[in-house]
Protein backbone atom coordinates (compact mmCIF):
# COMPACT_ATOMS: atom_id res chain seq x y z
CA UNK A 1 0.00 0.00 0.00
CA UNK A 2 1.39 3.41 -0.98
CA UNK A 3 1.88 6.29 1.45
CA UNK A 4 -1.07 8.32 0.14
CA UNK A 5 -3.72 5.54 0.55
CA UNK A 6 -2.31 4.79 4.03
CA UNK A 7 -2.78 8.43 5.04
CA UNK A 8 -6.33 8.42 3.66
CA UNK A 9 -7.19 5.24 5.59
CA UNK A 10 -5.86 6.79 8.79
CA UNK A 11 -8.00 9.87 8.16
CA UNK A 12 -11.09 7.71 7.62
CA UNK A 13 -10.39 5.75 10.81
CA UNK A 14 -10.03 9.02 12.71
CA UNK A 15 -13.32 10.35 11.34
CA UNK A 16 -15.05 7.10 12.30
CA UNK A 17 -13.75 7.23 15.87
CA UNK A 18 -14.82 10.87 16.27
CA UNK A 19 -18.28 10.02 14.89
CA UNK A 20 -18.71 7.24 17.46
CA UNK A 21 -17.79 9.55 20.34
CA UNK A 22 -19.75 12.58 19.11
CA UNK A 23 -23.24 11.95 20.49
CA UNK A 24 -22.43 10.27 23.83
CA UNK A 25 -19.70 12.75 24.79
CA UNK A 26 -21.65 15.77 23.54
CA UNK A 27 -24.80 14.73 25.42
CA UNK A 28 -22.78 13.97 28.55
CA UNK A 29 -21.16 17.42 28.54
CA UNK A 30 -24.59 19.03 28.09
CA UNK A 31 -25.83 17.15 31.19
CA UNK A 32 -22.73 18.17 33.16
CA UNK A 33 -23.41 21.87 32.63
CA UNK A 34 -27.20 21.62 33.00
CA UNK A 35 -27.40 19.51 36.16
CA UNK A 36 -28.56 20.98 39.48
CA UNK A 37 -26.74 18.33 41.53
CA UNK A 38 -23.23 18.68 42.93
CA UNK A 39 -20.84 15.84 43.62
CA UNK A 40 -19.47 15.51 47.15
CA UNK A 41 -15.90 16.31 46.08
CA UNK A 42 -17.21 19.39 44.30
CA UNK A 43 -18.97 20.58 47.44
CA UNK A 44 -15.66 20.32 49.32
CA UNK A 45 -13.99 22.48 46.68
CA UNK A 46 -16.76 25.10 46.77
CA UNK A 47 -16.55 25.23 50.55
CA UNK A 48 -12.78 25.60 50.38
CA UNK A 49 -12.89 28.56 47.99
CA UNK A 50 -15.96 30.13 49.62
CA UNK A 51 -18.20 29.98 46.56
CA UNK A 52 -21.94 29.42 46.34
CA UNK A 53 -22.26 27.04 43.37
CA UNK A 54 -25.95 27.82 42.84
CA UNK A 55 -25.54 31.58 42.54
CA UNK A 56 -25.76 32.69 38.90
CA UNK A 57 -23.50 35.48 37.70
CA UNK A 58 -23.90 38.32 35.23
CA UNK A 59 -21.11 38.53 32.69
CA UNK A 60 -18.94 41.09 34.59
CA UNK A 61 -18.90 38.87 37.69
CA UNK A 62 -18.23 35.78 35.56
CA UNK A 63 -15.32 37.61 33.93
CA UNK A 64 -13.91 38.81 37.26
CA UNK A 65 -13.86 35.26 38.58
CA UNK A 66 -12.13 34.02 35.44
CA UNK A 67 -9.47 36.76 35.49
CA UNK A 68 -8.83 36.42 39.22
CA UNK A 69 -8.36 32.66 38.95
CA UNK A 70 -6.04 33.03 35.96
CA UNK A 71 -3.97 35.77 37.64
CA UNK A 72 -3.43 33.63 40.72
CA UNK A 73 -2.52 30.69 38.47
CA UNK A 74 0.13 32.74 36.65
CA UNK A 75 1.63 33.88 39.94
CA UNK A 76 1.64 30.37 41.42
CA UNK A 77 3.28 28.79 38.38
CA UNK A 78 5.84 31.59 38.14
CA UNK A 79 6.86 31.17 41.80
CA UNK A 80 6.99 27.38 41.44
CA UNK A 81 9.50 27.71 38.62
CA UNK A 82 11.57 30.35 40.42
CA UNK A 83 11.80 28.03 43.46
CA UNK A 84 12.57 24.87 41.49
CA UNK A 85 16.18 24.73 42.72
CA UNK A 86 15.06 24.05 46.31
CA UNK A 87 12.14 21.73 45.49
CA UNK A 88 12.32 17.93 45.84
CA UNK A 89 12.59 15.83 42.66
CA UNK A 90 14.15 18.77 40.84
CA UNK A 91 16.67 16.37 39.20
CA UNK A 92 19.39 18.87 39.96
CA UNK A 93 17.94 21.52 37.64
CA UNK A 94 18.31 25.15 38.68
CA UNK A 95 15.52 27.67 39.13
CA UNK A 96 14.07 29.10 35.92
CA UNK A 97 15.22 32.57 34.87
CA UNK A 98 12.62 35.34 35.40
CA UNK A 99 11.83 36.04 31.72
CA UNK A 100 11.45 32.38 30.87
CA UNK A 101 9.46 31.68 34.04
CA UNK A 102 7.02 34.47 33.10
CA UNK A 103 6.76 33.16 29.55
CA UNK A 104 6.08 29.59 30.70
CA UNK A 105 3.57 30.67 33.35
CA UNK A 106 1.67 32.79 30.82
CA UNK A 107 1.89 29.98 28.30
CA UNK A 108 0.38 27.18 30.39
CA UNK A 109 -2.28 29.32 32.10
CA UNK A 110 -3.51 30.56 28.70
CA UNK A 111 -3.73 26.99 27.32
CA UNK A 112 -0.94 27.86 24.85
CA UNK A 113 1.88 25.67 26.19
CA UNK A 114 4.49 27.49 24.13
CA UNK A 115 7.88 26.19 25.29
CA UNK A 116 11.11 28.15 24.86
CA UNK A 117 13.00 25.44 26.78
CA UNK A 118 13.84 21.74 26.54
CA UNK A 119 11.65 20.02 29.10
CA UNK A 120 13.98 17.12 29.86
CA UNK A 121 16.86 19.55 30.51
CA UNK A 122 14.99 22.27 32.40
CA UNK A 123 11.97 21.12 34.43
CA UNK A 124 11.97 18.79 37.42
CA UNK A 125 9.18 16.40 38.31
CA UNK A 126 7.38 18.73 40.75
CA UNK A 127 7.17 21.62 38.29
CA UNK A 128 6.06 19.26 35.53
CA UNK A 129 3.29 17.61 37.55
CA UNK A 130 2.18 20.09 40.22
CA UNK A 131 2.65 23.08 37.92
CA UNK A 132 2.39 22.39 34.22
CA UNK A 133 0.09 19.35 34.32
CA UNK A 134 -2.36 21.02 36.72
CA UNK A 135 -2.61 24.02 34.42
CA UNK A 136 -3.28 21.67 31.52
CA UNK A 137 -6.49 20.68 33.30
CA UNK A 138 -7.75 24.01 34.60
CA UNK A 139 -6.82 26.15 31.57
CA UNK A 140 -8.80 23.76 29.37
CA UNK A 141 -11.71 23.93 31.82
CA UNK A 142 -11.66 27.74 31.63
CA UNK A 143 -12.06 27.57 27.85
CA UNK A 144 -15.00 25.17 28.15
CA UNK A 145 -16.61 27.40 30.78
CA UNK A 146 -16.51 30.46 28.50
CA UNK A 147 -18.01 28.46 25.63
CA UNK A 148 -20.83 27.19 27.85
CA UNK A 149 -21.49 30.74 29.07
CA UNK A 150 -21.90 31.93 25.47
CA UNK A 151 -24.20 29.01 24.67
CA UNK A 152 -26.33 29.95 27.68
CA UNK A 153 -26.46 33.49 26.31
CA UNK A 154 -28.21 32.12 23.22
CA UNK A 155 -30.41 29.73 25.22
CA UNK A 156 -31.60 32.06 28.00
CA UNK A 157 -33.97 35.00 27.72
CA UNK A 158 -34.64 38.22 29.63
CA UNK A 159 -31.79 37.63 32.07
CA UNK A 160 -28.16 38.60 32.04
CA UNK A 161 -27.14 35.57 34.08
CA UNK A 162 -24.70 33.15 32.48
CA UNK A 163 -24.21 30.57 35.22
CA UNK A 164 -21.47 30.36 37.83
CA UNK A 165 -17.83 30.45 36.72
CA UNK A 166 -16.57 28.43 39.69
CA UNK A 167 -19.20 25.75 39.16
CA UNK A 168 -18.42 25.50 35.45
CA UNK A 169 -14.66 25.38 36.14
CA UNK A 170 -14.94 22.65 38.76
CA UNK A 171 -17.39 20.53 36.78
CA UNK A 172 -15.38 20.79 33.59
CA UNK A 173 -12.29 19.63 35.45
CA UNK A 174 -13.77 16.96 37.75
CA UNK A 175 -16.45 15.47 35.51
CA UNK A 176 -14.92 15.74 32.04
CA UNK A 177 -11.18 16.31 31.92
CA UNK A 178 -9.99 14.19 34.86
CA UNK A 179 -11.85 10.97 33.96
CA UNK A 180 -11.17 11.38 30.24
CA UNK A 181 -7.46 11.97 30.79
CA UNK A 182 -7.25 9.05 33.23
CA UNK A 183 -8.66 6.65 30.66
CA UNK A 184 -6.39 8.06 27.96
CA UNK A 185 -3.32 7.73 30.21
CA UNK A 186 -4.06 4.05 30.82
CA UNK A 187 -4.28 3.46 27.07
CA UNK A 188 -1.00 5.28 26.48
CA UNK A 189 0.81 3.35 29.22
CA UNK A 190 -0.47 0.08 27.73
CA UNK A 191 0.95 1.19 24.37
CA UNK A 192 4.43 1.97 25.70
CA UNK A 193 4.37 5.59 26.94
CA UNK A 194 6.45 5.88 30.14
CA UNK A 195 5.01 6.83 33.54
CA UNK A 196 7.47 7.13 36.43
CA UNK A 197 9.47 9.52 38.59
CA UNK A 198 12.91 8.16 37.78
CA UNK A 199 16.06 10.24 37.75
CA UNK A 200 18.57 10.86 34.99
CA UNK A 201 20.02 7.81 33.19
CA UNK A 202 23.05 7.45 30.94
CA UNK A 203 21.95 5.88 27.64
CA UNK A 204 24.36 4.50 25.05
CA UNK A 205 24.09 5.44 21.36
CA UNK A 206 24.43 3.26 18.27
CA UNK A 207 27.41 5.17 16.92
CA UNK A 208 29.20 5.42 20.25
CA UNK A 209 29.01 7.92 23.08
CA UNK A 210 26.02 8.38 25.33
CA UNK A 211 23.12 10.68 26.19
CA UNK A 212 21.40 11.53 29.42
CA UNK A 213 17.66 10.87 29.67
CA UNK A 214 15.28 11.30 32.55
CA UNK A 215 11.90 9.72 33.06
CA UNK A 216 8.72 11.36 34.24
CA UNK A 217 4.95 11.13 34.57
CA UNK A 218 4.73 11.34 30.80
CA UNK A 219 1.60 9.30 30.03
CA UNK A 220 -0.60 11.28 32.42
CA UNK A 221 0.68 14.60 31.11
CA UNK A 222 0.51 13.44 27.49
CA UNK A 223 -3.13 12.46 27.98
CA UNK A 224 -4.31 15.85 29.25
CA UNK A 225 -1.91 17.63 26.90
CA UNK A 226 -3.95 16.30 23.98
CA UNK A 227 -7.38 15.88 25.60
CA UNK A 228 -7.31 19.49 26.82
CA UNK A 229 -5.76 20.79 23.56
CA UNK A 230 -2.76 22.09 25.51
CA UNK A 231 0.27 20.81 23.58
CA UNK A 232 3.19 21.18 25.99
CA UNK A 233 5.49 18.17 25.75
CA UNK A 234 7.48 16.56 28.54
CA UNK A 235 10.43 16.40 26.13
CA UNK A 236 11.77 18.93 23.65
CA UNK A 237 10.85 16.71 20.70
CA UNK A 238 7.24 16.73 21.93
CA UNK A 239 5.06 14.06 20.31
CA UNK A 240 7.92 13.03 18.00
CA UNK A 241 9.69 11.57 21.07
CA UNK A 242 9.22 7.79 21.47
CA UNK A 243 8.63 8.17 25.23
CA UNK A 244 5.60 10.36 24.44
CA UNK A 245 4.40 8.82 21.20
CA UNK A 246 5.94 5.40 20.51
CA UNK A 247 3.81 3.89 17.72
CA UNK A 248 1.58 4.81 14.77
CA UNK A 249 -1.43 3.77 16.87
CA UNK A 250 -0.57 6.15 19.71
CA UNK A 251 -0.03 8.87 17.11
CA UNK A 252 -3.56 8.40 15.74
CA UNK A 253 -4.96 8.05 19.27
CA UNK A 254 -3.40 11.36 20.30
CA UNK A 255 -4.92 13.08 17.26
CA UNK A 256 -8.29 11.64 18.30
CA UNK A 257 -7.83 13.00 21.83
CA UNK A 258 -7.10 16.54 20.71
CA UNK A 259 -10.13 16.63 18.40
CA UNK A 260 -12.81 14.80 20.35
CA UNK A 261 -13.90 17.51 22.85
CA UNK A 262 -13.90 20.44 20.37
CA UNK A 263 -16.00 18.50 17.85
CA UNK A 264 -18.34 17.05 20.50
CA UNK A 265 -18.99 20.49 22.00
CA UNK A 266 -21.06 21.31 18.90
CA UNK A 267 -23.45 18.58 20.04
CA UNK A 268 -23.45 20.09 23.53
CA UNK A 269 -24.32 23.44 21.97
CA UNK A 270 -27.21 21.96 20.00
CA UNK A 271 -28.65 20.16 23.03
CA UNK A 272 -28.50 23.23 25.31
CA UNK A 273 -30.11 25.60 22.76
CA UNK A 274 -32.78 22.99 22.03
CA UNK A 275 -31.89 22.21 18.41
CA UNK A 276 -29.32 19.54 17.61
CA UNK A 277 -29.56 20.58 13.95
CA UNK A 278 -27.90 23.89 14.87
CA UNK A 279 -25.06 21.86 16.35
CA UNK A 280 -24.79 19.80 13.18
CA UNK A 281 -24.52 22.98 11.09
CA UNK A 282 -21.57 24.20 13.19
CA UNK A 283 -20.05 20.70 13.06
CA UNK A 284 -20.39 20.64 9.27
CA UNK A 285 -18.57 23.97 9.03
CA UNK A 286 -15.72 22.74 11.22
CA UNK A 287 -15.48 19.42 9.36
CA UNK A 288 -15.49 21.05 5.92
CA UNK A 289 -12.59 23.33 6.79
CA UNK A 290 -10.73 20.59 8.69
CA UNK A 291 -10.89 17.96 5.95
CA UNK A 292 -10.05 20.58 3.33
CA UNK A 293 -6.93 21.62 5.23
CA UNK A 294 -5.82 18.00 5.68
CA UNK A 295 -6.22 17.41 1.94
CA UNK A 296 -4.22 20.54 1.12
CA UNK A 297 -1.48 19.59 3.59
CA UNK A 298 -1.18 16.07 2.18
CA UNK A 299 -1.03 17.46 -1.34
CA UNK A 300 1.68 19.96 -0.43
CA UNK A 301 3.81 17.31 1.28
CA UNK A 302 3.30 14.54 -1.31
CA UNK A 303 3.46 16.76 -4.44
CA UNK A 304 7.21 17.06 -4.22
CA UNK A 305 9.89 17.84 -6.79
CA UNK A 306 13.24 16.20 -7.35
CA UNK A 307 14.37 12.54 -7.47
CA UNK A 308 15.34 12.33 -3.77
CA UNK A 309 11.88 13.36 -2.59
CA UNK A 310 10.23 11.08 -5.14
CA UNK A 311 12.25 8.08 -3.94
CA UNK A 312 11.37 8.90 -0.32
CA UNK A 313 7.66 8.95 -1.21
CA UNK A 314 7.19 12.49 0.04
CA UNK A 315 8.84 15.39 1.82
CA UNK A 316 10.31 13.29 4.64
CA UNK A 317 12.71 15.88 6.03
CA UNK A 318 11.84 16.59 9.66
CA UNK A 319 9.25 13.79 9.82
CA UNK A 320 9.34 10.62 11.88
CA UNK A 321 9.74 7.46 9.78
CA UNK A 322 7.42 5.76 12.29
CA UNK A 323 4.56 7.96 11.12
CA UNK A 324 5.35 9.00 7.56
CA UNK A 325 4.08 11.91 5.52
CA UNK A 326 0.36 11.14 5.67
CA UNK A 327 0.08 10.73 9.44
CA UNK A 328 2.38 13.70 10.06
CA UNK A 329 0.22 15.84 7.78
CA UNK A 330 -2.93 14.88 9.70
CA UNK A 331 -1.23 15.60 13.01
CA UNK A 332 0.18 18.97 11.88
CA UNK A 333 -3.17 20.11 10.50
CA UNK A 334 -5.12 18.92 13.55
CA UNK A 335 -2.78 20.56 16.03
CA UNK A 336 -2.81 23.94 14.25
CA UNK A 337 -6.56 23.93 13.60
CA UNK A 338 -6.99 23.41 17.33
CA UNK A 339 -5.17 25.32 20.04
CA UNK A 340 -3.06 22.27 20.84
CA UNK A 341 0.35 23.06 19.40
CA UNK A 342 1.73 19.56 19.92
CA UNK A 343 3.98 18.36 17.09
CA UNK A 344 5.10 14.97 15.84
CA UNK A 345 7.25 16.51 13.09
CA UNK A 346 9.43 19.56 12.43
CA UNK A 347 7.09 22.19 10.97
CA UNK A 348 10.02 24.27 9.78
CA UNK A 349 10.98 21.40 7.45
CA UNK A 350 7.57 21.25 5.80
CA UNK A 351 7.36 22.56 2.26
CA UNK A 352 6.82 26.30 1.91
CA UNK A 353 3.13 25.84 1.17
CA UNK A 354 2.79 23.17 3.87
CA UNK A 355 4.13 25.55 6.50
CA UNK A 356 1.75 28.20 5.20
CA UNK A 357 -1.21 25.83 5.56
CA UNK A 358 -0.28 25.14 9.20
CA UNK A 359 0.05 28.87 9.80
CA UNK A 360 -3.27 29.64 8.11
CA UNK A 361 -4.99 27.07 10.32
CA UNK A 362 -4.03 29.15 13.34
CA UNK A 363 -4.89 32.42 11.60
CA UNK A 364 -8.47 31.21 11.08
CA UNK A 365 -8.77 31.56 14.84
CA UNK A 366 -8.42 27.82 15.45
CA UNK A 367 -12.11 27.15 14.97
CA UNK A 368 -12.08 23.96 12.89
CA UNK A 369 -12.64 22.54 15.46
CA UNK A 370 -10.48 24.76 17.66
CA UNK A 371 -9.45 24.30 21.27
CA UNK A 372 -11.48 23.02 24.21
CA UNK A 373 -14.19 25.65 24.34
CA UNK A 374 -12.30 28.31 22.41
CA UNK A 375 -13.10 26.62 19.11
CA UNK A 376 -16.84 26.63 19.78
CA UNK A 377 -17.09 30.20 21.01
CA UNK A 378 -14.84 31.37 18.16
CA UNK A 379 -17.07 29.64 15.62
CA UNK A 380 -20.23 31.06 17.19
CA UNK A 381 -18.79 34.58 16.96
CA UNK A 382 -18.08 33.94 13.27
CA UNK A 383 -21.68 32.68 12.92
CA UNK A 384 -22.88 36.03 14.30
CA UNK A 385 -20.76 37.80 11.66
CA UNK A 386 -22.12 35.53 8.91
CA UNK A 387 -25.73 36.18 9.98
CA UNK A 388 -25.03 39.91 9.96
CA UNK A 389 -23.61 39.68 6.42
CA UNK A 390 -26.68 37.74 5.27
CA UNK A 391 -28.95 40.34 6.85
CA UNK A 392 -27.19 43.12 4.96
CA UNK A 393 -27.63 41.27 1.66
CA UNK A 394 -31.41 40.88 2.02
CA UNK A 395 -32.15 44.09 3.95
CA UNK A 396 -33.45 42.31 7.05
CA UNK A 397 -32.52 42.64 10.70
CA UNK A 398 -30.09 39.74 11.33
CA UNK A 399 -31.16 37.08 13.79
CA UNK A 400 -29.41 34.01 15.15
CA UNK A 401 -31.12 31.39 17.31
CA UNK A 402 -33.99 33.77 17.99
CA UNK A 403 -31.75 36.64 19.09
CA UNK A 404 -31.38 39.92 17.19
CA UNK A 405 -27.87 40.83 16.13
CA UNK A 406 -27.86 44.57 16.70
CA UNK A 407 -25.12 47.17 16.77
CA UNK A 408 -23.89 46.17 20.23
CA UNK A 409 -23.57 42.50 19.30
CA UNK A 410 -21.82 43.15 16.01
CA UNK A 411 -19.36 45.59 17.64
CA UNK A 412 -18.42 42.97 20.21
CA UNK A 413 -18.04 40.31 17.51
CA UNK A 414 -15.93 42.67 15.38
CA UNK A 415 -13.64 43.43 18.32
CA UNK A 416 -13.24 39.70 18.89
CA UNK A 417 -12.08 38.96 15.35
CA UNK A 418 -9.78 42.00 15.17
CA UNK A 419 -7.81 41.64 18.39
CA UNK A 420 -5.78 38.55 17.46
CA UNK A 421 -4.68 39.73 13.98
CA UNK A 422 -3.65 43.06 15.51
CA UNK A 423 -1.46 41.26 18.05
CA UNK A 424 0.11 38.99 15.42
CA UNK A 425 0.93 41.71 12.92
CA UNK A 426 2.09 44.36 15.42
CA UNK A 427 4.39 42.02 17.35
CA UNK A 428 5.79 40.51 14.13
CA UNK A 429 6.48 43.95 12.65
CA UNK A 430 8.15 45.12 15.86
CA UNK A 431 10.35 42.03 15.97
CA UNK A 432 11.46 42.36 12.36
CA UNK A 433 12.24 46.07 12.85
CA UNK A 434 14.63 45.43 15.74
CA UNK A 435 18.24 44.26 15.26
CA UNK A 436 18.20 41.54 17.93
CA UNK A 437 15.40 39.15 16.79
CA UNK A 438 16.92 38.47 13.31
CA UNK A 439 19.94 36.99 15.10
CA UNK A 440 17.52 34.44 16.60
CA UNK A 441 16.44 33.30 13.14
CA UNK A 442 18.03 30.10 11.82
CA UNK A 443 17.16 31.12 8.26
CA UNK A 444 17.07 34.37 6.33
CA UNK A 445 14.69 35.59 3.61
CA UNK A 446 11.10 34.41 3.33
CA UNK A 447 11.60 31.37 5.56
CA UNK A 448 13.20 33.45 8.31
CA UNK A 449 10.27 35.87 8.21
CA UNK A 450 7.91 32.87 8.39
CA UNK A 451 9.64 31.74 11.59
CA UNK A 452 8.85 35.04 13.33
CA UNK A 453 5.35 35.32 11.86
CA UNK A 454 4.61 31.74 12.92
CA UNK A 455 5.86 32.41 16.46
CA UNK A 456 3.52 35.33 17.09
CA UNK A 457 0.65 33.66 15.23
CA UNK A 458 1.07 30.68 17.53
CA UNK A 459 1.37 32.79 20.69
CA UNK A 460 -1.49 35.20 19.96
CA UNK A 461 -3.84 32.37 18.97
CA UNK A 462 -2.81 30.32 22.04
CA UNK A 463 -1.57 27.45 19.91
CA UNK A 464 1.98 26.89 21.17
CA UNK A 465 3.59 25.13 18.21
CA UNK A 466 6.65 26.61 16.57
CA UNK A 467 8.56 26.47 13.30
CA UNK A 468 11.46 25.46 15.56
CA UNK A 469 14.01 27.35 13.49
CA UNK A 470 13.75 30.32 15.83
CA UNK A 471 15.68 30.78 19.07
CA UNK A 472 12.83 32.11 21.19
CA UNK A 473 14.67 31.81 24.50
CA UNK A 474 15.69 35.47 24.63
CA UNK A 475 14.42 38.26 26.86
CA UNK A 476 12.64 39.85 23.88
CA UNK A 477 10.79 36.77 22.67
CA UNK A 478 10.06 35.44 26.18
CA UNK A 479 8.50 38.76 27.16
CA UNK A 480 6.71 39.61 23.92
CA UNK A 481 5.28 36.15 23.27
CA UNK A 482 4.21 36.02 26.92
CA UNK A 483 2.29 39.27 26.52
CA UNK A 484 0.85 38.08 23.20
CA UNK A 485 -0.42 34.90 24.86
CA UNK A 486 -2.09 36.74 27.75
CA UNK A 487 -3.70 39.40 25.57
CA UNK A 488 -4.67 36.84 22.91
CA UNK A 489 -6.40 34.69 25.51
CA UNK A 490 -8.22 37.09 27.79
CA UNK A 491 -9.16 40.06 25.61
CA UNK A 492 -11.27 37.86 23.29
CA UNK A 493 -12.90 36.29 26.36
CA UNK A 494 -13.97 39.76 27.52
CA UNK A 495 -15.83 40.29 24.23
CA UNK A 496 -17.31 36.78 24.24
CA UNK A 497 -18.73 37.13 27.75
CA UNK A 498 -20.03 40.64 27.03
CA UNK A 499 -21.73 39.24 23.91
CA UNK A 500 -23.19 36.38 25.94
CA UNK A 501 -24.60 38.80 28.51
CA UNK A 502 -26.14 40.99 25.81
CA UNK A 503 -27.80 37.98 24.15
CA UNK A 504 -29.12 36.59 27.44
CA UNK A 505 -30.90 39.86 28.20
CA UNK A 506 -32.90 39.78 24.97
CA UNK A 507 -36.44 38.69 24.39
CA UNK A 508 -36.57 35.92 21.76
CA UNK A 509 -37.63 36.93 18.26
CA UNK A 510 -40.42 34.76 16.75
CA UNK A 511 -39.44 32.57 13.83
CA UNK A 512 -40.98 33.75 10.52
CA UNK A 513 -40.81 32.82 6.86
CA UNK A 514 -38.12 35.45 6.35
CA UNK A 515 -35.82 34.14 9.09
CA UNK A 516 -32.50 32.80 7.86
CA UNK A 517 -32.40 29.01 8.37
CA UNK A 518 -29.09 28.64 10.15
CA UNK A 519 -29.36 24.86 10.37
CA UNK A 520 -29.29 24.42 6.58
CA UNK A 521 -26.32 23.68 4.26
CA UNK A 522 -26.70 27.16 2.72
CA UNK A 523 -25.73 28.75 6.03
CA UNK A 524 -22.83 26.33 6.43
CA UNK A 525 -21.51 27.44 3.04
CA UNK A 526 -21.98 31.10 3.96
CA UNK A 527 -20.13 30.57 7.25
CA UNK A 528 -17.20 28.78 5.57
CA UNK A 529 -16.94 31.56 3.00
CA UNK A 530 -17.06 34.31 5.63
CA UNK A 531 -14.30 32.65 7.66
CA UNK A 532 -11.96 32.19 4.70
CA UNK A 533 -12.58 35.66 3.23
CA UNK A 534 -12.14 37.51 6.53
CA UNK A 535 -8.95 35.60 7.32
CA UNK A 536 -7.61 35.97 3.80
CA UNK A 537 -8.14 39.72 3.68
CA UNK A 538 -6.51 40.11 7.09
CA UNK A 539 -3.41 37.95 6.68
CA UNK A 540 -2.75 37.63 2.94
CA UNK A 541 -0.11 40.41 2.78
CA UNK A 542 1.89 38.82 5.60
CA UNK A 543 1.53 35.33 4.12
CA UNK A 544 2.68 36.67 0.75
CA UNK A 545 5.96 37.82 2.32
CA UNK A 546 6.61 34.47 3.99
CA UNK A 547 5.24 31.02 3.12
CA UNK A 548 3.62 31.97 -0.20
CA UNK A 549 6.84 33.58 -1.46
CA UNK A 550 8.84 30.55 -0.33
CA UNK A 551 6.38 28.05 -1.78
CA UNK A 552 6.15 29.74 -5.18
CA UNK A 553 9.94 30.06 -5.38
CA UNK A 554 10.59 26.37 -4.71
Amino acid sequence: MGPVPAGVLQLLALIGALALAYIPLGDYMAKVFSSDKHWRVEKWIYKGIGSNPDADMHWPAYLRGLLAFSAVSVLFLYLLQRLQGVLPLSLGFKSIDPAQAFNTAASFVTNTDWQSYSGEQTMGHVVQTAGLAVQNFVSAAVGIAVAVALVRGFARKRTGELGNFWTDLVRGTIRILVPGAAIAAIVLVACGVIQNFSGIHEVGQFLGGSQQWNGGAVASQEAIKEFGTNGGGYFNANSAHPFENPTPFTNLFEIFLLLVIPFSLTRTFGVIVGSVKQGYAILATMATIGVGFVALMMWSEFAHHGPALQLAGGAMEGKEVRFGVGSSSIFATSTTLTSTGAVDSFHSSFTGLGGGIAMLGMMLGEIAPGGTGSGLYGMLVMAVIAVFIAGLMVGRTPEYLGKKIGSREIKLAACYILITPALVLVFTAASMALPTPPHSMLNSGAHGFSEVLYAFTSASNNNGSAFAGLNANTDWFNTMTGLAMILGRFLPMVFVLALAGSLAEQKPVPFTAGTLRTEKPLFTGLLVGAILIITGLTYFPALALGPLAEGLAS
Side-chain angles (χ1 to χ4, degrees), residues 416-434:
Y416 175 91
I417 65 173
L418 288 174
I419 186 64
T420 304
L423 293 172
V424 173
L425 299 177
V426 169
F427 279 120
T428 300
S431 296
M432 295 304 297
L434 295 176

Side-chain angles (χ1 to χ4, degrees), residues 207-225:
L207 300 179
S210 63
Q211 283 183 295
Q212 289 185 334
W213 290 106
N214 56 280
V218 178
S220 56
Q221 186 155 323
E222 189 74 15
I224 188 57
K225 156 191 158 183

Side-chain angles (χ1 to χ4, degrees), residues 485-505:
M485 288 183 280
I486 291 174
L487 295 174
R489 174 72 162 179
F490 297 115
L491 283 181
M493 285 183 172
V494 172
F495 301 125
V496 169
L497 291 175
L499 175 62
S502 178
L503 293 169
E505 292 172 351

Side-chain angles (χ1 to χ4, degrees), residues 176-216:
I176 299 173
L177 296 172
V178 169
I183 295 171
I186 293 172
V187 174
L188 291 174
V189 169
C191 294
V193 179
I194 68 170
Q195 179 77 8
N196 56 55
F197 287 103
S198 68
I200 298 176
H201 300 278
E202 198 81 18
V203 180
Q205 296 178 309
F206 287 113
L207 300 179
S210 63
Q211 283 183 295
Q212 289 185 334
W213 290 106
N214 56 280

